[in-house]
Amino acid sequence: MRIAWIGKKSPFCGNVTYSREVTNALLDRGHQVSFLHFAQEESETENCPNFQEVSLPFIYKSQVYTIPTLKATKVLTESLREIKPDVVHASLSLSPLDFMLPEICEQLNLPLIATFHTAFAGKGAKFLSGTQLLAYQLYAPCLANYDRVIVFSQIQRELLARMGVKDRKIAVIPNGVDAVKYSPGPSGVKAQFQAERLFVYQGRIAPEKNLEPLLRAWKQSQMGTRSKLLMVGDGVLKSSLEPFYGSDAGIIWLGFVANEGRRIEILRGADVFILPSLVEGLSLSLLEAMGCGIACLATDVGADGEVLEAGAGVVLNTKTVRSQLRTLLPLLQDHPELTTLLGNKARQRVLERYTLSKNISQLEELYREVLADRSVPLSPRG
């Protein structure tokens, strides 16, 4: 099958990881993939022989949204006309181009699928901020013009359906991780940081991640010198938080870790992973930690609570994160048998529901379903 993938390669965020993992897996299964992404000329392409890459010009891009140039629409249209894909799959990057894609693909008679990542607060769609609600309200009429829309949970599906997207157009395909790569294994991280017990946060250092309640709870719990909290990631709040929550309290700021092998080594060496977010979609960082078999704590936002339900982890309430963590942190520090049990359950949950292999199989079936609806013959693989 010939697939034109429209996604992000930078700056690093969950959308970037999603695009990388899914397109590489599709290539491994013998599909042809062209990757169209926002970049300055060829500066961010990887020159992979199995990958046709197309640079879409932009004015500005961040982890959250992208502003294309006026020329981007023409470049995209001409590229799709040349590639002649069976399917166009857009991993939506909160860009004006997202709203133009249905018209472009209709003109070219190409099936169009979207993955809609936008985070939300949780069950019942009780948004803590009008920003996420506005994004869903803005996107819903546009998403109705896509052949299919992929979301990560039933909660998201119900939310979009209430906003007018036909239920038959919405497919729930959860994020998945490579359970071979993200698996329990040896690690020298504890020795490196002289820690007997290791707790980890991995993600953006940003307001929506709700990190100060975690940091305050850690400091107030007086965890002792042999327990460490690693903060893995970068963002706008790092410079304002780090001076107040530092090494004197056992908190170590590692910044952004680009090397995936190093990130896996950190997770394998950890005892507990904590994600106190106010909003999420379905956190890949959470799934990666679960795959590595460590105990996981996350707030009941997006689909994260659904992932940890029925004992696969500890689900936190966004309104009481600090008080809950003040109780849980010493408990998890002093009872390694509890973190081992939770880690085993987390790993099992990933194997049952959230492997990349299952994700790709579902995606292939969705492609076939969309093409069958249009009675479009497939291009040969290779």
Side-chain angles (χ1 to χ4, degrees), residues 288-334:
E288 290 167 356
M290 293 172 70
C292 290
I294 65 177
C296 292
L297 286 64
T299 43
D300 190 10
V301 296
D304 290 356
E306 185 179 310
V307 171
L308 295 179
E309 66 185 2
V314 178
V315 181
L316 305 172
N317 186 312
T318 54
K319 296 178 180 179
T320 56
V321 168
R322 183 169 64 91
S323 61
Q324 286 179 284
L325 287 176
R326 285 184 63 183
T327 300
L328 289 167
L329 289 172
L331 179 67
L332 296 171
Q333 174 185 245
D334 297 339

Short mmCIF file of all heavy atoms in Angstrom, two decimals, residues 288-334:
data_model
loop_
_atom_site.label_atom_id
_atom_site.label_comp_id
_atom_site.label_asym_id
_atom_site.label_seq_id
_atom_site.Cartn_x
_atom_site.Cartn_y
_atom_site.Cartn_z
N GLU A 288 5.19 4.01 27.59
CA GLU A 288 6.59 3.58 27.56
C GLU A 288 7.04 3.13 28.95
O GLU A 288 7.73 2.11 29.10
CB GLU A 288 7.47 4.71 27.04
CG GLU A 288 7.27 4.98 25.55
CD GLU A 288 7.88 6.29 25.08
OE1 GLU A 288 8.41 7.05 25.93
OE2 GLU A 288 7.84 6.57 23.87
N ALA A 289 6.67 3.89 29.97
CA ALA A 289 7.02 3.51 31.34
C ALA A 289 6.36 2.20 31.73
O ALA A 289 6.99 1.33 32.34
CB ALA A 289 6.60 4.63 32.31
N MET A 290 5.08 2.03 31.38
CA MET A 290 4.38 0.79 31.68
C MET A 290 5.04 -0.38 30.97
O MET A 290 5.19 -1.47 31.55
CB MET A 290 2.91 0.91 31.27
CG MET A 290 2.11 1.91 32.10
SD MET A 290 0.45 2.19 31.45
CE MET A 290 -0.33 0.60 31.83
N GLY A 291 5.45 -0.17 29.72
CA GLY A 291 6.12 -1.23 28.98
C GLY A 291 7.40 -1.67 29.65
O GLY A 291 7.78 -2.85 29.58
N CYS A 292 8.08 -0.73 30.32
CA CYS A 292 9.33 -1.05 31.02
C CYS A 292 9.09 -1.70 32.38
O CYS A 292 10.04 -2.01 33.10
CB CYS A 292 10.19 0.20 31.17
SG CYS A 292 10.88 0.77 29.59
N GLY A 293 7.82 -1.87 32.73
CA GLY A 293 7.49 -2.62 33.94
C GLY A 293 7.72 -1.87 35.23
O GLY A 293 8.12 -2.48 36.24
N ILE A 294 7.46 -0.55 35.24
CA ILE A 294 7.59 0.20 36.49
C ILE A 294 6.22 0.66 36.95
O ILE A 294 5.29 0.82 36.15
CB ILE A 294 8.57 1.38 36.36
CG1 ILE A 294 8.05 2.44 35.38
CG2 ILE A 294 9.93 0.90 35.89
CD1 ILE A 294 8.96 3.65 35.29
N ALA A 295 6.08 0.85 38.25
CA ALA A 295 4.81 1.31 38.82
C ALA A 295 4.48 2.69 38.30
O ALA A 295 5.34 3.57 38.24
CB ALA A 295 4.91 1.33 40.35
N CYS A 296 3.23 2.92 37.91
CA CYS A 296 2.84 4.18 37.28
C CYS A 296 1.70 4.86 38.03
O CYS A 296 0.72 4.21 38.39
CB CYS A 296 2.43 3.94 35.83
SG CYS A 296 3.81 3.44 34.76
N LEU A 297 1.85 6.18 38.21
CA LEU A 297 0.82 7.02 38.78
C LEU A 297 0.49 8.10 37.75
O LEU A 297 1.40 8.75 37.23
CB LEU A 297 1.31 7.70 40.07
CG LEU A 297 1.45 6.89 41.36
CD1 LEU A 297 2.51 5.81 41.24
CD2 LEU A 297 1.78 7.82 42.52
N ALA A 298 -0.79 8.29 37.46
CA ALA A 298 -1.18 9.32 36.50
C ALA A 298 -2.56 9.84 36.85
O ALA A 298 -3.38 9.12 37.44
CB ALA A 298 -1.16 8.77 35.08
N THR A 299 -2.81 11.08 36.48
CA THR A 299 -4.12 11.67 36.73
C THR A 299 -5.15 11.12 35.74
O THR A 299 -4.82 10.67 34.65
CB THR A 299 -4.05 13.21 36.61
OG1 THR A 299 -3.25 13.55 35.47
CG2 THR A 299 -3.46 13.82 37.84
N ASP A 300 -6.40 11.21 36.15
CA ASP A 300 -7.50 10.69 35.34
C ASP A 300 -7.92 11.74 34.31
O ASP A 300 -9.00 12.31 34.37
CB ASP A 300 -8.69 10.33 36.25
CG ASP A 300 -9.77 9.56 35.50
OD1 ASP A 300 -9.51 9.15 34.36
OD2 ASP A 300 -10.86 9.37 36.07
N VAL A 301 -7.01 11.99 33.36
CA VAL A 301 -7.28 12.94 32.29
C VAL A 301 -7.02 12.26 30.95
O VAL A 301 -6.26 11.29 30.88
CB VAL A 301 -6.41 14.21 32.40
CG1 VAL A 301 -6.74 14.97 33.67
CG2 VAL A 301 -4.92 13.88 32.35
N GLY A 302 -7.67 12.78 29.89
CA GLY A 302 -7.54 12.12 28.61
C GLY A 302 -7.93 10.66 28.76
O GLY A 302 -8.92 10.33 29.41
N ALA A 303 -7.12 9.79 28.18
CA ALA A 303 -7.36 8.35 28.30
C ALA A 303 -6.45 7.70 29.32
O ALA A 303 -6.47 6.47 29.47
CB ALA A 303 -7.18 7.69 26.93
N ASP A 304 -5.66 8.49 30.05
CA ASP A 304 -4.66 7.90 30.95
C ASP A 304 -5.30 7.10 32.09
O ASP A 304 -4.79 6.04 32.48
CB ASP A 304 -3.75 8.99 31.53
CG ASP A 304 -2.82 9.58 30.47
OD1 ASP A 304 -2.85 9.09 29.32
OD2 ASP A 304 -2.08 10.52 30.79
N GLY A 305 -6.40 7.61 32.64
CA GLY A 305 -7.09 6.86 33.69
C GLY A 305 -7.63 5.55 33.18
O GLY A 305 -7.59 4.52 33.88
N GLU A 306 -8.10 5.54 31.94
CA GLU A 306 -8.60 4.32 31.31
C GLU A 306 -7.48 3.30 31.16
O GLU A 306 -7.68 2.10 31.35
CB GLU A 306 -9.16 4.70 29.92
CG GLU A 306 -9.84 3.60 29.16
CD GLU A 306 -10.38 4.13 27.82
OE1 GLU A 306 -11.08 5.16 27.81
OE2 GLU A 306 -10.09 3.50 26.78
N VAL A 307 -6.28 3.76 30.84
CA VAL A 307 -5.13 2.87 30.68
C VAL A 307 -4.78 2.18 32.00
O VAL A 307 -4.42 0.99 32.02
CB VAL A 307 -3.91 3.67 30.17
CG1 VAL A 307 -2.64 2.83 30.21
CG2 VAL A 307 -4.16 4.15 28.74
N LEU A 308 -4.90 2.91 33.12
CA LEU A 308 -4.46 2.38 34.41
C LEU A 308 -5.58 1.74 35.23
O LEU A 308 -5.34 1.27 36.34
CB LEU A 308 -3.85 3.52 35.25
CG LEU A 308 -2.55 4.14 34.71
CD1 LEU A 308 -2.08 5.25 35.64
CD2 LEU A 308 -1.47 3.09 34.54
N GLU A 309 -6.79 1.71 34.67
CA GLU A 309 -7.93 1.20 35.44
C GLU A 309 -7.73 -0.27 35.83
O GLU A 309 -6.91 -0.97 35.26
CB GLU A 309 -9.22 1.36 34.62
CG GLU A 309 -9.27 0.50 33.37
CD GLU A 309 -10.51 0.76 32.53
OE1 GLU A 309 -11.30 1.64 32.90
OE2 GLU A 309 -10.67 0.09 31.50
N ALA A 310 -8.52 -0.69 36.82
CA ALA A 310 -8.53 -2.08 37.28
C ALA A 310 -7.17 -2.56 37.75
O ALA A 310 -6.77 -3.71 37.51
CB ALA A 310 -9.07 -3.00 36.18
N GLY A 311 -6.42 -1.67 38.42
CA GLY A 311 -5.21 -2.10 39.10
C GLY A 311 -3.93 -2.06 38.31
O GLY A 311 -2.88 -2.49 38.82
N ALA A 312 -3.95 -1.54 37.07
CA ALA A 312 -2.71 -1.47 36.29
C ALA A 312 -1.81 -0.32 36.73
O ALA A 312 -0.68 -0.19 36.27
CB ALA A 312 -3.03 -1.34 34.80
N GLY A 313 -2.31 0.52 37.62
CA GLY A 313 -1.55 1.63 38.16
C GLY A 313 -2.40 2.39 39.15
O GLY A 313 -3.49 1.95 39.51
N VAL A 314 -1.90 3.52 39.59
CA VAL A 314 -2.62 4.35 40.55
C VAL A 314 -3.14 5.59 39.83
O VAL A 314 -2.38 6.32 39.20
CB VAL A 314 -1.71 4.77 41.72
CG1 VAL A 314 -2.48 5.67 42.68
CG2 VAL A 314 -1.17 3.55 42.44
N VAL A 315 -4.46 5.80 39.89
CA VAL A 315 -5.09 6.93 39.23
C VAL A 315 -5.28 8.07 40.23
O VAL A 315 -5.88 7.88 41.29
CB VAL A 315 -6.45 6.52 38.62
CG1 VAL A 315 -7.09 7.71 37.91
CG2 VAL A 315 -6.27 5.36 37.64
N LEU A 316 -4.75 9.25 39.88
CA LEU A 316 -4.80 10.41 40.75
C LEU A 316 -5.92 11.36 40.33
O LEU A 316 -6.27 11.43 39.15
CB LEU A 316 -3.47 11.17 40.70
CG LEU A 316 -2.20 10.37 41.02
CD1 LEU A 316 -0.97 11.22 40.73
CD2 LEU A 316 -2.20 9.90 42.47
N ASN A 317 -6.43 12.11 41.30
CA ASN A 317 -7.42 13.15 41.03
C ASN A 317 -6.69 14.47 40.81
O ASN A 317 -5.85 14.86 41.62
CB ASN A 317 -8.39 13.26 42.22
CG ASN A 317 -9.53 14.21 41.95
OD1 ASN A 317 -9.34 15.32 41.50
ND2 ASN A 317 -10.74 13.77 42.26
N THR A 318 -6.99 15.18 39.73
CA THR A 318 -6.28 16.42 39.41
C THR A 318 -6.41 17.47 40.52
O THR A 318 -5.53 18.30 40.69
CB THR A 318 -6.80 17.03 38.09
OG1 THR A 318 -8.22 17.19 38.17
CG2 THR A 318 -6.44 16.16 36.91
N LYS A 319 -7.51 17.42 41.27
CA LYS A 319 -7.74 18.44 42.29
C LYS A 319 -6.97 18.17 43.59
O LYS A 319 -6.80 19.07 44.41
CB LYS A 319 -9.23 18.54 42.60
CG LYS A 319 -10.07 19.01 41.41
CD LYS A 319 -11.54 19.05 41.77
CE LYS A 319 -12.40 19.50 40.60
NZ LYS A 319 -13.85 19.52 40.93
N THR A 320 -6.53 16.93 43.76
CA THR A 320 -5.88 16.58 45.03
C THR A 320 -4.53 15.89 44.80
O THR A 320 -4.12 15.04 45.59
CB THR A 320 -6.80 15.66 45.86
OG1 THR A 320 -7.17 14.51 45.08
CG2 THR A 320 -8.05 16.39 46.29
N VAL A 321 -3.85 16.25 43.71
CA VAL A 321 -2.58 15.59 43.37
C VAL A 321 -1.58 15.70 44.51
O VAL A 321 -0.95 14.71 44.91
CB VAL A 321 -1.99 16.18 42.07
CG1 VAL A 321 -0.55 15.72 41.88
CG2 VAL A 321 -2.83 15.77 40.87
N ARG A 322 -1.40 16.89 45.04
CA ARG A 322 -0.36 17.08 46.07
C ARG A 322 -0.63 16.26 47.32
O ARG A 322 0.26 15.56 47.83
CB ARG A 322 -0.23 18.56 46.44
CG ARG A 322 0.89 18.83 47.45
CD ARG A 322 1.15 20.32 47.59
NE ARG A 322 0.01 21.02 48.13
CZ ARG A 322 -0.20 21.25 49.44
NH1 ARG A 322 0.68 20.81 50.32
NH2 ARG A 322 -1.25 21.92 49.85
N SER A 323 -1.86 16.29 47.82
CA SER A 323 -2.17 15.54 49.04
C SER A 323 -2.08 14.04 48.80
O SER A 323 -1.61 13.29 49.68
CB SER A 323 -3.55 15.92 49.57
OG SER A 323 -4.56 15.62 48.63
N GLN A 324 -2.51 13.58 47.64
CA GLN A 324 -2.42 12.15 47.35
C GLN A 324 -0.96 11.72 47.27
O GLN A 324 -0.59 10.67 47.81
CB GLN A 324 -3.13 11.84 46.02
CG GLN A 324 -4.64 11.87 46.10
CD GLN A 324 -5.27 11.58 44.75
OE1 GLN A 324 -5.29 12.42 43.86
NE2 GLN A 324 -5.76 10.37 44.59
N LEU A 325 -0.14 12.52 46.60
CA LEU A 325 1.27 12.15 46.46
C LEU A 325 2.00 12.20 47.80
O LEU A 325 2.92 11.41 48.05
CB LEU A 325 1.96 13.05 45.45
CG LEU A 325 1.59 12.79 43.98
CD1 LEU A 325 2.27 13.82 43.07
CD2 LEU A 325 1.97 11.38 43.56
N ARG A 326 1.62 13.11 48.69
CA ARG A 326 2.25 13.15 50.01
C ARG A 326 2.02 11.85 50.77
O ARG A 326 2.86 11.43 51.58
CB ARG A 326 1.70 14.33 50.82
CG ARG A 326 2.24 15.68 50.37
CD ARG A 326 1.76 16.80 51.26
NE ARG A 326 2.24 16.64 52.63
CZ ARG A 326 1.91 17.45 53.63
NH1 ARG A 326 1.10 18.48 53.41
NH2 ARG A 326 2.38 17.25 54.83
N THR A 327 0.91 11.19 50.51
CA THR A 327 0.64 9.89 51.12
C THR A 327 1.34 8.77 50.37
O THR A 327 1.94 7.87 50.97
CB THR A 327 -0.88 9.61 51.14
OG1 THR A 327 -1.53 10.63 51.90
CG2 THR A 327 -1.18 8.25 51.74
N LEU A 328 1.29 8.85 49.02
CA LEU A 328 1.77 7.73 48.20
C LEU A 328 3.29 7.66 48.09
O LEU A 328 3.85 6.55 48.05
CB LEU A 328 1.15 7.84 46.80
CG LEU A 328 -0.34 7.54 46.70
CD1 LEU A 328 -0.88 7.99 45.35
CD2 LEU A 328 -0.60 6.04 46.91
N LEU A 329 3.96 8.80 48.01
CA LEU A 329 5.41 8.76 47.80
C LEU A 329 6.15 8.00 48.90
O LEU A 329 6.95 7.10 48.60
CB LEU A 329 5.95 10.20 47.66
CG LEU A 329 5.57 10.93 46.36
CD1 LEU A 329 6.01 12.39 46.43
CD2 LEU A 329 6.17 10.25 45.15
N PRO A 330 5.91 8.29 50.19
CA PRO A 330 6.59 7.50 51.23
C PRO A 330 6.18 6.02 51.21
O PRO A 330 7.00 5.14 51.47
CB PRO A 330 6.14 8.17 52.53
CG PRO A 330 5.72 9.55 52.14
CD PRO A 330 5.14 9.39 50.76
N LEU A 331 4.91 5.77 50.90
CA LEU A 331 4.44 4.39 50.85
C LEU A 331 5.17 3.60 49.76
O LEU A 331 5.64 2.47 50.00
CB LEU A 331 2.93 4.38 50.57
CG LEU A 331 2.25 3.01 50.45
CD1 LEU A 331 2.25 2.31 51.79
CD2 LEU A 331 0.82 3.18 49.94
N LEU A 332 5.30 4.19 48.57
CA LEU A 332 5.97 3.51 47.47
C LEU A 332 7.48 3.43 47.69
O LEU A 332 8.14 2.52 47.20
CB LEU A 332 5.66 4.23 46.16
CG LEU A 332 4.18 4.21 45.75
CD1 LEU A 332 3.94 5.14 44.57
CD2 LEU A 332 3.72 2.80 45.40
N GLN A 333 8.01 4.39 48.43
CA GLN A 333 9.43 4.33 48.77
C GLN A 333 9.73 3.17 49.70
O GLN A 333 10.73 2.46 49.52
CB GLN A 333 9.85 5.64 49.44
CG GLN A 333 11.29 5.64 49.97
CD GLN A 333 11.60 6.91 50.73
OE1 GLN A 333 12.43 7.70 50.31
NE2 GLN A 333 10.93 7.11 51.86
N ASP A 334 8.88 2.95 50.68
CA ASP A 334 9.16 1.99 51.74
C ASP A 334 8.70 0.57 51.44
O ASP A 334 9.02 -0.35 52.20
CB ASP A 334 8.51 2.46 53.05
CG ASP A 334 9.08 3.78 53.54
OD1 ASP A 334 10.21 4.13 53.13
OD2 ASP A 334 8.38 4.48 54.30
#
